[in-house]
Structures are given as structure tokens and as C-alpha cells.
Amino acid sequence: MRKNIVAGNWKMNVTASDAKHLMDEINQGTYNCDLIVACPTLYLQMATTKDYQFSLAAQNCHHETSGAYTGEVSAQMLASADIKYGIIGHSERREYQNETDELITKKFNRLVENNMTPILCVGESLDIRQSGKHLGFVANQLKHVLDNCAIRADFILAYEPVWAIGTGETASPEQAQEMHQHLRSVLTSYQKEDTSILYGGSCKPGNAKELFAQTDIDGGLIGGASLKAESFLAIANSF
Ligand code: 13P
């Protein structure tokens, strides 16, 4: 079922004591959506020992089940620590870790096998947008996973135009809606039209309401503005 969701992606930010403080502050807030915090892996278990109202997401997982992969964390390990969601396919990992659609599909499978919900990120670069091929490009990122995953399980989709991430430049509500509508039509062709689609990219308290008011936008995946409880909670109250 489509749900209103706001997820905060802390990326590689915040010290342990600040993380604890920020989570406590977020937990004191009220909001009318599903709230998810994707903190760094190191802090996930610190949070599961608390009685927080929000859910937790890992920012990544390894594509294999277990084994000799020094420094990596598997979906099975995350699930055993009570983590419900896992972000995969973020553009920063696609770019800096050279993650391909094939690898991201394996990660999707590992999460689903462990009863976790993938938050699958898709999005185009500025070059692709300017070439006018963005709709097809982003749809193909989604189709690759849906065509090749072992089980077509429930997941959350996040559209994050690369040119809008951390730049202060947001997709206009019309640009975002056009893409979300297109992705919804792809999801419909896979009988997955009930999937929530989040928008990510310089989403802030000042623009969240207008974005979330669009027909096919079900919430946001928030980077910078999730690092302050006040702005994160303001976004979570923008429906
Ligand atoms: P910003 O909100 O900082 O642009 O980051 C978006 C993002 O990448 C969330 O995953």
C-alpha cells in the first residue's frame, strides 16, 4: 500500500554522541508519516536498544550472504540486529564505488531474502537530463532490478536526480511529478503500483509541502536537512 514516508539519510556525518542526541531529539517529535532514519552502520545497534518510535535503515549492505569480505556488513547481519530497511543504489555509491545495476539487484535480493525492505534509489545525471533521455534512463534503472530480482517483493522507490543532491538545486514539483508519474507507470506494468515513491535532492522544510502535494510523490529521502531534528521533523510534517 502507498504510504507517506520521510527517510533521513545521514550519509557519513555525525559523531556517536551527536548521533545519540539527534535520535533522542527526533524521537521527541510528532509527525504524520512513517519516519525512517538511515544513520551510519556503527550507530544502528545503539538505536535498536532504545525504544525509538522511528524505524532504522542501513545505508548499504553487501551483495553476498556472508564470507571473507573484510569491512563489509551483510543483509543477514542487519536483519539479525533488527534493522528493517536498507538503502541500495544511491547515486553516491553508483559513482564512488562503481556500483552497477547488476550489483544493486544482488543487494536487493539479499535484503528481500532477509525480510528487509529495500529503499531503491534511481536518478539521472545533469548530462542525461539535458539530453532529454532522463525518463527512459531512470525507468531502465528500475526495470533492471524488477526484471532480474529473484523475488518481486515490496520495496520503496526513491527518485533522486543527481544534479539536485547536496547542490541546493531542487527538481521543480512539476519535474519531480513528471518523473514520479513515469515511474508509477513502470511500477503498474509490474503490478507494483502501490509502491511508495520518495523524492530526494535538496528537499527542505521550504519546498517539501509543494513536492509532497504532487499526485505521485509519497514523501522524501532527505540528506542535509535530516541532520537537524527541527528541519527533519518539519519535513515529516509537510503532508
Ligand atoms: P540532500 O537532501 O542533501 O540533497 O541529499 C539527498 C540524498 O542524497 C538523500 O539520499
Side-chain angles (χ1 to χ4, degrees):
M1 200 184 69
R2 277 175 73 180
K3 287 185 188 164
N4 290 337
I5 300 169
V6 167
N9 177 8
W10 292 8
K11 308 190 180 182
M12 197 174 70
N13 293 298
V14 186
T15 61
S17 59
D18 289 347
K20 190 176 168 308
H21 186 65
L22 179 52
M23 286 189 199
D24 285 343
E25 276 189 322
I26 293 168
N27 194 47
Q28 281 158 22
T30 53
Y31 37 87
N32 51 6
C33 63
D34 284 8
L35 200 69
I36 302 172
V37 171
C39 64
T41 318
L42 189 58
Y43 309 144
L44 284 170
Q45 210 158 14
M46 173 177 95
T48 55
T49 60
K50 299 273 203 144
D51 209 10
Y52 288 135
Q53 305 297 308
F54 53 82
S55 302
L56 292 163
Q59 295 179 14
N60 179 40
C61 70
H62 197 260
H63 60 277
E64 296 292 350
T65 305
S66 63
Y69 300 101
T70 302
E72 298 291 346
V73 174
S74 71
Q76 190 179 49
M77 290 157 66
L78 293 165
S80 72
D82 251 354
I83 309 305
K84 303 277 182 268
Y85 298 90
I87 296 177
I88 51 169
H90 194 283
S91 61
E92 287 151 14
R93 293 200 63 87
R94 288 180 192 260
E95 181 177 355
Y96 305 132
Q97 265 74 35
N98 298 317
E99 291 198 359
T100 60
D101 288 326
E102 286 75 20
L103 189 89
I104 291 158
T105 307
K106 287 185 183 171
K107 293 182 184 216
F108 184 98
N109 287 334
R110 296 296 88 76
L111 289 170
V112 169
E113 284 161 9
N114 286 283
N115 297 316
M116 292 179 65
T117 303
I119 302 174
L120 171 65
C121 300
V122 293
E124 82 286 3
S125 64
L126 187 58
D127 282 357
I128 292 171
R129 172 145 296 253
Q130 286 173 340
S131 74
K133 298 191 172 128
H134 47 288
L135 293 176
F137 178 86
V138 176
N140 282 339
Q141 289 180 322
L142 170 61
K143 283 183 196 166
H144 190 284
V145 173
L146 292 177
D147 284 339
N148 296 290
C149 61
I151 310 166
R152 210 173 283 154
D154 287 345
F155 68 106
I156 297 168
L157 184 61
Y159 167 56
E160 299 203 308
V162 179
W163 46 272
I165 295 179
T167 58
E169 184 162 348
T170 325
S172 68
E174 294 74 23
Q175 285 173 318
Q177 168 56 23
E178 180 192 38
M179 181 62 79
H180 281 230
Q181 188 174 24
H182 188 61
L183 292 172
R184 179 88 53 211
S185 71
V186 175
L187 288 166
T188 302
S189 68
Y190 288 83
Q191 287 85 48
K192 282 278 168 207
E193 62 273 25
D194 283 349
T195 304
S196 297
I197 313 178
L198 313 185
Y199 169 79
S202 298
C203 183
K204 300 191 165 39
N207 57 27
K209 240 190 187 100
E210 213 185 339
L211 286 161
F212 298 174
Q214 303 301 309
T215 314
D216 291 294
I217 301 184
D218 301 308
L221 181 54
I222 318 301
S226 72
L227 297 173
K228 293 263 180 294
E230 192 184 353
S231 47
F232 188 49
L233 289 166
I235 294 170
N237 282 292
S238 296
F239 293 96

